Amino acid sequence: EEPATNAPALWGSPTVDNGACCKTLGEVRGNIDRLDREIVRLMAERGRYVHEAARFKANPAQVEAPERAEAVVKKAMALADADGLSPKVAEAAYRAMVRAFIDYEQGIFAAAASRGDAPWRNS
Ligand SMILES: C=C(O[C@@H]1C=C(C(=O)O)C=C[C@H]1O)C(=O)O
């Protein structure tokens, strides 16, 4: 069954905010929900720049830009390490996120090409 959200912790001592948080799993999740609002807002802003990037690409292979994609992941891992986030968590999250943004950008590019906007033609 799911853990109770209003019961005290079962072990250890609080680790966040110099021990001020957290007293319940509900309090933990309220903070995670607050941060997710910010993360999604930032992802939406990131997505608008990914969309914009498509305008500078001549074909789908350029949309993929694997060297840049790898550099973005490696940078996130280094930033994570400096910020106290597990680099393995950052790597997995960034690989999935960048892959999804590439697919999104491929869709934007393909739609522009089929409108006759982007110069590239499929066949
Ligand atoms: C946004 C770009 O296009 C793609 C998406 C990337 C990303 O989400 O960071 C990075 C490189 C490309 O795979 C870009 O070329 O900068």
Side-chain angles (χ1 to χ4, degrees), residues 34-112:
R34 171 180 61 79
L35 292 166
D36 284 342
R37 291 187 69 88
E38 289 189 53
I39 291 167
V40 172
R41 182 178 52 71
L42 291 168
M43 284 179 71
E45 183 177 359
R46 192 182 198 285
R48 291 192 282 276
Y49 286 103
V50 171
H51 182 133
E52 178 64 16
R55 296 182 47 242
F56 299 84
K57 312 289 182 74
N59 57 58
Q62 286 200 332
V63 171
E64 184 102 19
E67 285 179 22
R68 167 64 181 173
E70 190 60 26
V72 168
V73 172
K74 290 279 152 58
K75 180 77 175 295
M77 291 172 71
L79 291 169
D81 208 23
D83 282 349
L85 169 65
S86 159
K88 290 178 76 170
V89 170
E91 180 178 20
Y94 261 77
R95 287 204 187 285
M97 183 179 74
V98 171
R99 183 67 253 167
F101 274 125
I102 291 168
D103 293 347
Y104 168 74
E105 190 184 339
Q106 293 287 19
I108 298 295
F109 187 88

